[in-house]
């Protein structure tokens, strides 16, 4: 067994061009196209070192809010002196420690431990998980609509979908406008289908912007008419009411995809058993790491339902590679003439930008040791705004 002797948490920033705030708030989800704008985006990296010098690393893609960082800093000292191989025990203890919070700072730590294990054993995380897929079907997941010349109309969404189809994407997910206008959203749903015909699988994610159940029902019936593959987080309950989504399921035909905002295996099991969703959601960053995500994937398999991995990143690819009942990898967020605002920290060619797919519409699973990516630590250190170090004295 190998004891953990040092944990580092590096907060850093980078500029995302042609992206501005389309709604109040500081998350990636509030960004959309704004020509000439530059938004400063903050992320953080976790590095775990053991007595033998082996290191596990992870750089966050979506989990990077001050709240998540605070939880990571709260949990990191509890790793010192623990055996790095004992991920399950560590996971269980950190889960309890964060029981009063939303667990969003737990995932990066667990992912870094999986990276450590792969490097220690000289194999990829996918191999550790028993993965059977080397390429993953992907969908283009758009930024929210804007009013500034990007995704600013149903026609613009349709044209972007056709652009993605030409690149090789077989599936496309719409995030509509922050206004939550049910008539505008329903018209967008129908227009995109009209423009792409039957050439693409389409999904809709209002991201909880629709104001009422009636709004969600109105847009859901448009999804029915247009034959959408799933309808995700429709309205302002914030995606957590099993009762409301069960009622919605009973009134529309389009499958519901919920539990992105429900943390961990037990609440997701409750939500599923209450009839609140057709698909489950998992995310290694949101759901307490690769350890937590795989528990959710096994839960979904036990109930005979599919589980869709939220967002993108190397950890997400490894988890999906080991999962039979997962349909699409989410390349999120993308739009015309603006980047995916994930950190540009890869020195190995890894990418989650719009052009990361092959002509087959798939992304590859990294094969190197651990997560299979090489981080540009010079970039992280050069752009670092905070460093916290915890070590055995």
């Amino acid at each position: 067994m190998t004891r953990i002797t040092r944990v580092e948490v590096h907060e850093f920033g980078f500029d995302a061009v042609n992206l501005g705030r389309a709604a109040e708030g500081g998350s990636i989800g509030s960004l959309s196209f704004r020509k000439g704008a530059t938004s400063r985006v903050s992320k953080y990296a976790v590095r775990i070192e053991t007595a033998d010098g082996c290191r596990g690393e992870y750089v966050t893609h979506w989990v990077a809010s001050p709240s998540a960082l605070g939880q990571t800093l709260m949990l990191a000292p509890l790793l010192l002196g623990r055996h790095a191989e004992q991920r399950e025990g560590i996971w269980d203890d950190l889960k309890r420690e964060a029981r009063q919070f939303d667990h969003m700072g737990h995932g990066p730590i667990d992912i870094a431990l999986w990276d450590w294990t792969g490097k220690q054993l000289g194999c990829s995380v996918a191999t550790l998980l028993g993965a059977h897929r080397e390429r993953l079907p992907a969908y283009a997941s758009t930024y929210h609509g804007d009013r500034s010349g990007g995704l600013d109309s149903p026609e613009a969404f349709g044209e972007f979908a056709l652009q993605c189809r030409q690149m090789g994407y077989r599936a496309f997910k719409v995030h509509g406008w922050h206004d939550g206008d049910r008539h505008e959203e329903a018209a967008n749903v129908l227009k995109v289908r009209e423009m792409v015909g039957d050439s693409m699988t389409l999904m809709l994610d209002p991201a909880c912007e629709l104001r009422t159940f009636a709004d969600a029902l109105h847009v859901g019936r448009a999804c029915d008419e247009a034959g959408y593959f799933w309808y995700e987080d429709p309205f302002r309950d914030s995606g957590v009411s099993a009762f409301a989504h069960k009622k919605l399921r009973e009134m529309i035909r389009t499958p519901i995809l919920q539990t992105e905002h429900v943390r961990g295996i037990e609440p997701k099991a409750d939500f599923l058993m209450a009839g609140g969703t057709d698909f489950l959601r998992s995310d290694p960053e949101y759901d307490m790491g690769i350890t937590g995500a795989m528990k959710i994937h096994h839960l979904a398999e036990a109930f005979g339902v599919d589980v869709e991995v939220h967002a993108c990143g190397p950890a997400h690819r490894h988890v999906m590679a080991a999962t039979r009942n997962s349909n699409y990898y989410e390349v999120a967020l993308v739009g015309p003439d603006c980047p995916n605002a994930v950190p540009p920290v890869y020195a190995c060619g890894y990418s989650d930008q719009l052009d990361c797919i092959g002509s087959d519409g798939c992304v590859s699973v990294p094969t190197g040791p651990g997560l299979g990516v090489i981080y540009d630590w010079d970039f992280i250190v050069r752009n670092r705004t905070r460093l916290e170090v915890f070590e055995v004295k």
Side-chain angles (χ1 to χ4, degrees):
M1 293 294 182
T2 311
R3 293 193 182 275
I4 297 169
T5 57
R6 182 180 174 96
V7 182
E8 300 173 358
V9 181
H10 304 247
E11 187 179 19
F12 66 98
F14 62 95
D15 289 333
V17 300
N18 285 347
L19 287 172
R21 304 293 174 187
E24 294 300 321
S27 69
I28 290 178
S30 70
L31 293 175
S32 64
F33 176 80
R34 187 175 301 167
K35 187 172 180 60
T38 299
S39 291
R40 190 70 176 171
V41 180
S42 180
K43 301 293 178 185
Y44 64 91
V46 175
R47 184 174 349 190
I48 298 171
E49 185 172 329
T50 49
D52 62 354
C54 186
R55 290 175 175 174
E57 304 167 326
Y58 185 66
V59 177
T60 59
H61 270 205
W62 279 63
V63 172
S65 69
S67 172
L69 174 60
Q71 290 177 51
T72 296
L73 293 173
M74 177 184 77
L75 297 173
L78 304 180
L79 296 175
L80 298 177
R82 300 290 297 262
H83 294 295
E85 296 90 344
Q86 296 180 346
R87 289 183 310 277
E88 278 287 340
I90 293 171
W91 185 88
D92 194 50
D93 288 343
L94 297 190
K95 176 187 172 189
R96 181 189 178 278
E97 188 68 23
R99 66 193 182 280
Q100 294 173 310
F101 306 98
D102 65 2
H103 299 278
M104 293 285 273
H106 185 169
I109 291 173
D110 182 81
I111 295 170
L113 284 173
W114 277 92
D115 182 61
W116 179 91
T117 302
K119 289 173 178 175
Q120 185 81 336
L121 299 176
C123 65
S124 71
V125 169
T127 298
L128 293 174
L129 295 173
H132 63 284
R133 294 200 272 184
E134 297 178 355
R135 296 189 63 75
L136 310 172
Y139 67 94
S141 183
T142 74
Y143 280 104
H144 277 282
D146 60 82
R147 309 294 183 188
S148 54
L151 298 172
D152 59 358
S153 68
E155 290 77 15
F157 272 99
E159 288 167 4
F160 184 51
L162 291 170
Q163 175 191 333
C164 291
R165 180 65 183 87
Q166 190 171 20
M167 295 176 69
Y169 285 96
R170 310 294 200 269
F172 184 84
K173 189 172 83 176
V174 172
H175 289 96
W177 291 269
H178 286 287
D179 307 66
D181 182 328
R182 67 183 183 183
H183 299 290
E184 183 175 41
E185 297 296 334
N188 199 30
V189 163
L190 297 172
K191 187 64 176 180
V192 175
R193 173 57 75 196
E194 176 189 328
M195 291 180 68
V196 304
D198 295 328
S199 67
M200 300 187 84
T201 297
L202 297 178
M203 307 87 147
L204 177 68
D205 180 3
C208 303
E209 288 289 11
L210 296 169
R211 300 280 171 174
T212 67
F213 182 88
D215 292 339
L217 180 59
H218 181 88
V219 176
R221 286 173 172 163
C223 290
D224 289 347
E225 183 179 342
Y228 273 50
F229 189 57
W230 74 57
Y231 184 26
E232 179 180 355
D233 283 326
F235 69 108
R236 285 294 183 100
D237 77 311
S238 298
V240 297
S241 172
F243 177 82
H245 289 91
K246 179 176 184 291
K247 284 185 65 68
L248 185 61
R249 287 180 64 221
E250 292 168 350
M251 300 172 77
I252 65 173
R253 299 189 309 275
T254 305
I256 296 290
L257 170 58
Q258 291 301 120
T259 72
E260 176 182 330
H261 305 299
V262 177
R263 298 280 79 77
I265 183 172
E266 298 92 348
K268 289 180 193 273
D270 289 344
F271 202 101
L272 181 63
M273 289 188 292
T277 192
D278 296 290
F279 294 84
L280 281 174
R281 256 300 193 208
S282 79
D283 185 325
E285 288 194 350
Y286 285 20
D287 290 310
M288 292 172 270
I290 291 171
T291 301
M294 292 307 300
K295 292 176 188 292
I296 294 161
H297 284 233
H298 296 149
L299 168 70
E301 189 170 28
F303 276 89
V305 301
D306 290 350
V307 54
E308 300 300 324
V309 180
H310 170 257
C312 58
H316 303 63
R317 296 193 190 192
H318 289 289
V319 166
M320 186 174 169
T323 303
R324 170 190 60 78
N325 51 327
S326 188
N327 294 286
Y328 290 104
Y329 177 78
E330 183 174 17
V331 181
L333 296 167
V334 293
D337 303 316
C338 56
N340 187 359
V342 295
V345 292
Y346 298 100
C348 55
Y350 177 90
S351 173
D352 278 305
Q353 297 301 325
L354 181 62
D355 62 358
C356 67
I357 64 161
S359 59
D360 61 351
C362 297
V363 298
S364 60
V365 180
T367 57
L371 292 172
V373 296
I374 299 171
Y375 291 117
D376 183 350
W377 280 97
D378 288 340
F379 178 91
I380 294 169
V381 171
R382 193 165 60 248
N383 291 277
R384 191 169 61 201
T385 56
R386 182 179 183 181
L387 171 63
E388 298 289 345
V389 178
F390 309 93
E391 55 187 336
V392 174
K393 302 299 184 183

